[in-house]
Amino acid sequence: MFQALAKASATLGPRAAGWVRTMASHQLLVAPPKALLKPLSVPTRLLLGPGPANLPPRTMAAGGLQVIGPMHKEMYQIMDEIKEGIQYLFQTRNPLTLVISGSGHCALEAALINVLEPGDSFLVGVNGIWGQRAADIGERLGARVHPMTKDPGGHFTLQEVEEGLAQHKPVLLFLTHGESSSGVLQPLDGFGELCHRYKCLLLVDSVASVGGTPLYMDQQGIDILYSSSQKVLNAPPGTSFLSFSDPAKNKIYSRKKKPSSFYLDIKYLANFWGCDGQPRMYHHTPPVISLYSLREGLALLVEQALRLPTVTTVAVPAGYDWRDIVSYLIDRFGIEIMGGLGPSTGKVLRIGLMGCNATRENVDLVIEALREALQHCPKKKL
């Protein structure tokens, strides 16, 4: 090929050279950015916030592999292996299990866009930012949203949920399993059975919990479960995954109108991911490299069976500004932790110990760093 191009160039002679000079001499209206003329530089940091987590060598190596086409047979094989890994992670046999090309927010939106129709009653457990966002999305879709609100640190009981189910008769209940903005783990046993008694589907956010604390989708009667790549799986941010029970699938496939998003239409995605038994059709180009890394993150989980707590919240000591503490740790130690989120903003520090980051050495390191930060950060007069 290169020989043919060289021969053609020689044949054209000065005429080709003149054409190249003319194309290169066009006036630029925007100058080349000077920053992009420098090599990429990324600091080395220990990420102990509630995600993303540091990538292990195997996952990083996967990110350096060559791209292949999204409809190559080898890509389909990788996708099938990812599906099996998600089924293992979720402890489910649901055929409708797939990946979304987007973060955990995208999986939440995909679940709601496909299940909720205008006028549907939607019961939302709000005990942190993720319940707030589920309610926001439900309102945008025209659902009748009924929030059950708790202060940060609270969780929902079976009795409280049953009262909401009896009063509002929802088609869907949303609960956050691991509320990373407040550090609360929501009990799930019995909620699936309760929802089904009231002909309601159960949707659970497990972004900050799955893989780090026991979760059994089928056994616990969860109808829709989603999570994302960047936390316990130690994979890059940007992919998420979800699974639907047969009743949830029936709700999606019996809609009166198509969902408002083509990109997140589960019927199309189910076909693309080989979940419907039909020949796969092109839907969109997924982040191929990210899927490689996700596959390796799932493989590491299968090999190591990591089941560890993930997010620890620490109350901000009286008189201190949480931002001073967070800044001190990243500037002095290269350690990332985060402050509260949503209702817990300013009240807590959030420390993530996920996947390969969940070691005794890292626990000792962050405790020592926090101790030093409290000695050096300014304390305000009360």
Side-chain angles (χ1 to χ4, degrees):
M1 176 181 177
F2 292 111
Q3 291 178 345
L5 288 172
K7 183 177 179 180
S9 177
T11 303
L12 290 170
R15 184 174 55 178
W19 178 80
V20 172
R21 284 197 300 272
T22 302
M23 292 296 293
S25 63
H26 282 205
Q27 183 179 2
L28 296 174
L29 301 180
V30 178
K34 293 181 179 179
L36 294 182
L37 299 176
K38 301 176 183 178
L40 176 65
S41 177
V42 178
T44 299
R45 286 180 177 152
L46 177 59
L47 302 180
L48 296 184
N54 294 96
L55 306 185
R58 178 171 171 179
T59 307
M60 292 180 65
L65 297 176
Q66 185 57 262
V67 173
I68 60 175
M71 300 188 73
H72 292 185
K73 64 179 182 179
E74 294 85 359
M75 194 67 226
Y76 286 159
Q77 177 64 33
I78 292 170
M79 293 165 73
D80 289 343
E81 292 172 3
I82 289 172
K83 283 192 300 180
E84 291 180 18
I86 296 167
Q87 288 170 325
Y88 167 76
L89 176 66
F90 283 174
Q91 290 294 287
T92 183
R93 293 183 173 85
N94 290 334
L96 188 49
T97 299
L98 49 83
V99 172
I100 299 289
S101 301
S103 68
H105 282 80
C106 201
L108 168 60
E109 193 146 13
L112 296 180
I113 280 177
N114 283 274
V115 172
L116 290 179
E117 297 185 73
D120 278 349
S121 179
F122 179 31
L123 186 63
V124 184
V126 181
N127 62 336
I129 192 171
W130 309 119
Q132 289 178 341
R133 295 195 176 179
D136 187 343
I137 296 169
E139 290 172 355
R140 293 166 187 258
L141 295 173
R144 292 180 290 114
V145 178
H146 306 287
M148 299 183 298
T149 304
K150 292 267 189 176
D151 290 334
H155 71 279
F156 300 95
T157 66
L158 288 167
Q159 181 180 348
E160 290 167 339
V161 169
E162 184 165 16
E163 290 172 359
L165 293 171
Q167 179 181 356
H168 301 295
K169 299 177 173 54
V171 301
L172 184 67
L173 165 67
F174 172 88
L175 292 175
T176 307
H177 187 219
E179 179 48 79
S180 61
S181 70
S182 62
V184 169
L185 184 69
Q186 168 67 45
L188 291 176
D189 288 346
F191 285 89
E193 180 183 356
L194 177 61
C195 285
H196 300 159
R197 198 186 313 153
Y198 284 85
K199 296 180 171 39
C200 174
L201 300 172
L202 174 59
L203 165 62
V204 173
D205 175 323
S206 69
V207 170
S209 62
V210 74
T213 188
L215 188 61
Y216 303 93
M217 183 175 186
D218 291 354
Q219 182 179 324
Q220 293 175 308
I222 301 169
D223 292 290
I224 310 165
L225 182 63
Y226 72 89
S227 193
S228 62
S229 58
Q230 78 275 16
K231 295 185 183 282
V232 177
L233 291 181
N234 297 119
T239 56
S240 54
F241 34 91
L242 67 172
S243 182
F244 297 86
S245 68
D246 285 342
K249 176 183 175 181
N250 293 338
K251 177 73 166 70
I252 293 171
Y253 279 67
S254 62
R255 291 178 61 97
K256 297 185 177 90
K257 293 183 179 180
K258 293 181 179 180
S260 57
S261 171
F262 177 90
Y263 188 71
L264 298 178
D265 190 321
I266 291 299
K267 286 186 178 180
Y268 290 125
L269 292 172
N271 172 265
F272 184 55
W273 277 87
C275 301
D276 62 2
Q278 301 298 317
R280 298 189 192 193
M281 304 292 290
Y282 173 80
H283 178 257
H284 71 283
T285 301
V288 172
I289 297 294
S290 294
L291 292 182
Y292 296 168
S293 298
L294 174 58
R295 190 263 183 206
E296 294 301 273
L298 288 163
L300 287 170
L301 182 84
V302 169
E303 292 176 2
Q304 300 176 13
L306 294 174
R307 295 282 172 183
L308 298 172
T310 54
V311 180
T312 299
T313 50
V314 179
V316 177
Y320 288 93
D321 188 323
W322 67 272
R323 288 165 292 199
D324 293 338
I325 300 173
V326 169
S327 296
Y328 187 89
L329 261 66
I330 203 163
D331 293 340
R332 173 73 174 82
F333 294 94
I335 296 175
E336 178 200 65
I337 65 171
M338 293 187 183
L341 199 60
S344 64
T345 299
K347 300 176 182 177
V348 300
L349 298 170
R350 297 182 297 144
I351 303 167
L353 294 164
M354 302 178 179
C356 67
N357 281 3
T359 65
R360 167 57 63 182
E361 290 79 10
N362 284 344
V363 171
D364 292 341
L365 181 60
V366 75
I367 290 174
E368 183 59 33
L370 285 170
R371 184 179 290 116
E372 183 176 316
L374 295 181
Q375 294 174 351
H376 289 84
C377 288
K379 190 174 181 181
K380 299 178 181 178
K381 294 181 180 180
L382 299 178

Coordinates of all heavy atoms in Angstrom, one line a residue, residues 47-51 129-130 178-184 208 231 310-316 322 325-326 329 335-342 344-354 366 370:
L47 N -6.2 6.6 45.6 CA -7.5 7.0 45.5 C -8.3 6.3 46.6 O -8.8 5.1 46.4 CB -8.1 6.7 44.2 CG -7.4 7.4 43.0 CD1 -8.1 7.1 41.7 CD2 -7.4 8.9 43.2
L48 N -8.5 6.9 47.7 CA -9.3 6.4 48.8 C -10.6 7.1 49.1 O -11.1 7.2 50.2 CB -8.5 6.4 50.1 CG -7.2 5.5 50.1 CD1 -6.6 5.5 51.5 CD2 -7.6 4.0 49.7
G49 N -11.1 7.7 48.0 CA -12.5 8.3 48.0 C -13.5 7.2 47.7 O -13.1 6.0 47.5
P50 N -14.7 7.5 47.6 CA -15.8 6.5 47.3 C -15.8 6.2 45.8 O -16.9 5.9 45.2 CB -17.0 7.1 47.8 CG -16.8 8.6 47.7 CD -15.3 8.8 47.9
G51 N -14.7 6.2 45.1 CA -14.6 5.9 43.7 C -14.4 7.1 42.9 O -14.9 8.2 43.2
I129 N -28.1 11.4 48.3 CA -28.2 12.0 47.0 C -28.7 11.1 45.9 O -29.4 11.6 45.0 CB -26.8 12.6 46.6 CG1 -26.9 13.5 45.4 CG2 -25.8 11.4 46.4 CD1 -25.6 14.3 45.1
W130 N -28.5 9.8 46.0 CA -28.9 8.9 44.9 C -30.4 8.8 44.9 O -31.0 8.7 43.8 CB -28.2 7.6 45.0 CG -26.7 7.8 45.2 CD1 -25.9 7.4 46.2 CD2 -25.9 8.6 44.3 NE1 -24.6 7.9 46.0 CE2 -24.6 8.6 44.8 CE3 -26.1 9.2 43.1 CZ2 -23.5 9.2 44.2 CZ3 -25.0 9.8 42.4 CH2 -23.7 9.8 43.0
G178 N -26.0 0.8 48.9 CA -24.9 1.4 49.5 C -24.9 2.9 49.3 O -24.5 3.4 48.2
E179 N -25.5 3.7 50.2 CA -25.6 5.1 50.0 C -24.3 5.8 50.3 O -23.9 6.1 51.5 CB -26.7 5.7 50.9 CG -27.0 7.2 50.9 CD -27.0 7.7 49.4 OE1 -28.1 7.6 48.8 OE2 -26.0 8.3 49.0
S180 N -23.5 6.0 49.3 CA -22.1 6.5 49.5 C -22.0 7.9 50.0 O -21.0 8.3 50.4 CB -21.3 6.3 48.2 OG -21.9 7.1 47.1
S181 N -23.1 8.7 49.9 CA -23.1 10.0 50.4 C -23.2 10.1 51.9 O -22.8 11.1 52.5 CB -24.2 10.9 49.7 OG -25.5 10.5 50.2
S182 N -23.6 9.0 52.5 CA -23.8 9.0 54.0 C -23.1 7.8 54.6 O -23.0 7.7 55.8 CB -25.2 9.1 54.4 OG -26.0 8.0 53.9
G183 N -22.7 6.8 53.8 CA -22.1 5.6 54.4 C -23.1 4.6 55.0 O -22.7 3.8 55.8
V184 N -24.3 4.6 54.5 CA -25.3 3.7 55.1 C -25.5 2.5 54.1 O -25.6 2.6 52.9 CB -26.7 4.4 55.3 CG1 -27.8 3.4 55.6 CG2 -26.5 5.4 56.4
A208 N -22.1 1.5 44.9 CA -21.0 1.6 45.9 C -20.9 0.3 46.8 O -20.1 0.3 47.7 CB -21.3 2.8 46.9
K231 N -15.7 1.2 41.0 CA -15.5 1.1 42.4 C -14.9 -0.2 42.8 O -13.7 -0.4 42.6 CB -16.9 1.3 43.1 CG -17.4 2.8 42.8 CD -18.7 3.1 43.6 CE -19.2 4.5 43.2 NZ -18.4 5.5 44.0
T310 N -17.0 -1.1 51.7 CA -16.4 -0.2 50.7 C -16.3 1.2 51.1 O -15.3 1.8 50.8 CB -17.3 -0.3 49.4 OG1 -18.7 0.0 49.8 CG2 -17.3 -1.7 48.8
V311 N -17.3 1.9 51.7 CA -17.2 3.3 52.0 C -17.4 3.5 53.5 O -18.4 3.1 54.1 CB -18.2 4.1 51.2 CG1 -18.1 5.6 51.6 CG2 -18.1 3.9 49.7
T312 N -16.4 4.1 54.1 CA -16.5 4.5 55.5 C -16.6 6.0 55.6 O -15.9 6.8 55.0 CB -15.2 4.1 56.3 OG1 -15.0 2.7 56.2 CG2 -15.2 4.5 57.7
T313 N -17.6 6.4 56.4 CA -17.8 7.8 56.6 C -17.4 8.2 58.0 O -17.6 7.5 59.0 CB -19.3 8.2 56.5 OG1 -20.1 7.3 57.3 CG2 -19.7 8.1 55.0
V314 N -16.7 9.3 58.1 CA -16.1 9.8 59.4 C -16.7 11.2 59.6 O -16.6 12.1 58.7 CB -14.6 9.9 59.3 CG1 -14.0 10.4 60.6 CG2 -14.0 8.5 59.0
A315 N -17.2 11.5 60.7 CA -17.8 12.9 61.0 C -16.6 13.9 61.0 O -15.6 13.6 61.6 CB -18.5 12.9 62.4
V316 N -16.9 15.0 60.4 CA -15.9 16.1 60.4 C -15.8 16.6 61.8 O -16.8 17.1 62.4 CB -16.3 17.2 59.4 CG1 -15.3 18.4 59.5 CG2 -16.4 16.7 58.0
W322 N -14.0 20.7 56.3 CA -13.7 19.4 55.6 C -12.8 19.6 54.4 O -11.9 18.8 54.1 CB -15.0 18.7 55.2 CG -15.7 19.4 54.1 CD1 -16.7 20.3 54.3 CD2 -15.6 19.2 52.7 NE1 -17.2 20.7 53.0 CE2 -16.5 20.0 52.1 CE3 -14.8 18.3 51.9 CZ2 -16.7 20.1 50.7 CZ3 -15.0 18.4 50.5 CH2 -15.9 19.2 49.9
I325 N -9.1 19.6 55.2 CA -8.6 18.2 55.5 C -8.4 17.5 54.2 O -7.3 16.8 54.0 CB -9.6 17.4 56.4 CG1 -9.7 18.2 57.8 CG2 -9.1 16.0 56.6 CD1 -10.8 17.6 58.7
V326 N -9.4 17.5 53.3 CA -9.2 16.8 52.0 C -8.0 17.4 51.2 O -7.3 16.6 50.7 CB -10.5 17.0 51.2 CG1 -10.4 16.5 49.8 CG2 -11.7 16.2 51.9
L329 N -4.6 16.1 52.7 CA -4.3 14.8 52.4 C -3.8 14.6 50.9 O -2.8 13.9 50.7 CB -5.5 13.9 52.6 CG -5.4 13.1 54.0 CD1 -5.5 14.1 55.1 CD2 -6.5 12.1 54.0
I335 N -3.1 11.4 48.7 CA -4.3 10.5 49.0 C -5.6 11.3 48.7 O -5.8 12.4 49.3 CB -4.2 10.0 50.5 CG1 -3.0 9.2 50.7 CG2 -5.5 9.3 50.8 CD1 -2.9 8.8 52.2
E336 N -6.4 10.7 48.0 CA -7.7 11.3 47.7 C -8.8 10.7 48.7 O -9.0 9.5 48.7 CB -8.2 11.1 46.3 CG -9.6 11.6 46.0 CD -10.2 11.0 44.8 OE1 -10.5 9.8 44.8 OE2 -10.4 11.8 43.8
I337 N -9.4 11.5 49.5 CA -10.7 11.2 50.1 C -11.7 12.2 49.7 O -11.3 13.2 49.1 CB -10.6 11.0 51.6 CG1 -10.2 12.4 52.3 CG2 -9.5 10.0 52.0 CD1 -10.3 12.4 53.8
M338 N -12.9 12.1 50.1 CA -13.9 13.1 49.7 C -14.8 13.5 50.8 O -14.9 12.8 51.8 CB -14.8 12.5 48.5 CG -14.1 12.3 47.2 SD -15.2 11.9 45.9 CE -14.0 11.6 44.6
G339 N -15.4 14.7 50.7 CA -16.4 15.1 51.7 C -17.7 14.5 51.4 O -17.9 13.7 50.5
G340 N -18.7 15.0 52.2 CA -20.0 14.5 52.0 C -20.6 14.9 50.6 O -20.0 15.7 49.9
L341 N -21.8 14.4 50.3 CA -22.4 14.6 49.0 C -23.9 14.8 49.3 O -24.5 14.0 50.1 CB -22.2 13.4 48.1 CG -22.4 13.6 46.6 CD1 -21.4 14.7 46.1 CD2 -22.1 12.3 45.9
G342 N -24.5 15.8 48.7 CA -25.9 16.0 48.8 C -26.2 16.4 50.3 O -25.6 17.3 50.8
S344 N -25.4 15.2 53.0 CA -24.3 15.0 54.0 C -23.1 16.0 53.7 O -22.0 15.9 54.4 CB -23.7 13.6 53.9 OG -23.2 13.3 52.7
T345 N -23.2 16.9 52.8 CA -22.2 17.9 52.5 C -21.8 18.6 53.7 O -22.6 19.2 54.5 CB -22.6 18.8 51.4 OG1 -22.9 18.1 50.2 CG2 -21.5 19.8 51.1
G346 N -20.5 18.7 54.0 CA -20.0 19.4 55.2 C -20.0 18.7 56.5 O -19.4 19.2 57.5
K347 N -20.6 17.5 56.5 CA -20.8 16.8 57.7 C -19.9 15.6 57.9 O -19.5 15.3 59.0 CB -22.3 16.3 57.8 CG -23.3 17.4 57.8 CD -24.7 16.9 57.8 CE -25.8 18.0 57.7 NZ -27.2 17.5 57.7
V348 N -19.5 15.0 56.8 CA -18.7 13.8 56.9 C -17.6 13.8 55.9 O -17.6 14.6 54.9 CB -19.6 12.5 56.6 CG1 -20.7 12.4 57.6 CG2 -20.1 12.5 55.2
L349 N -16.6 13.0 56.1 CA -15.5 12.6 55.2 C -15.8 11.2 54.7 O -16.1 10.3 55.5 CB -14.1 12.7 55.8 CG -13.7 14.1 56.3 CD1 -12.5 14.0 57.2 CD2 -13.5 15.1 55.2
R350 N -15.6 11.0 53.4 CA -15.9 9.6 52.9 C -14.6 9.0 52.4 O -13.9 9.6 51.6 CB -16.9 9.7 51.7 CG -18.3 10.3 52.1 CD -19.3 10.3 51.0 NE -18.8 11.3 49.9 CZ -19.0 11.1 48.6 NH1 -19.6 10.0 48.2 NH2 -18.6 12.0 47.8
I351 N -14.3 7.8 52.9 CA -13.1 7.1 52.7 C -13.5 5.8 52.0 O -14.2 5.0 52.6 CB -12.3 6.8 53.9 CG1 -12.0 8.1 54.7 CG2 -11.0 6.1 53.6 CD1 -11.5 8.0 56.1
G352 N -13.0 5.6 50.8 CA -13.3 4.4 50.0 C -12.2 3.3 50.1 O -11.1 3.7 49.9
L353 N -12.6 2.1 50.5 CA -11.6 1.0 50.5 C -12.2 -0.1 49.6 O -13.0 -0.9 50.1 CB -11.4 0.5 51.9 CG -10.7 1.5 52.8 CD1 -10.8 1.2 54.3 CD2 -9.2 1.7 52.4
M354 N -11.8 0.0 48.3 CA -12.5 -0.8 47.3 C -11.5 -1.7 46.6 O -10.5 -1.3 46.2 CB -13.2 0.1 46.3 CG -14.2 1.0 47.0 SD -15.0 2.1 45.8 CE -16.1 3.0 46.8
V366 N -4.2 6.0 55.8 CA -5.1 7.1 55.8 C -5.4 7.6 57.3 O -5.7 8.8 57.5 CB -6.4 6.7 55.1 CG1 -7.3 5.7 55.9 CG2 -7.3 7.9 54.7
L370 N -4.9 11.4 58.4 CA -5.9 12.2 59.0 C -5.4 12.8 60.3 O -5.7 13.9 60.7 CB -7.2 11.3 59.2 CG -8.0 11.0 58.0 CD1 -9.0 10.0 58.3 CD2 -8.7 12.3 57.4

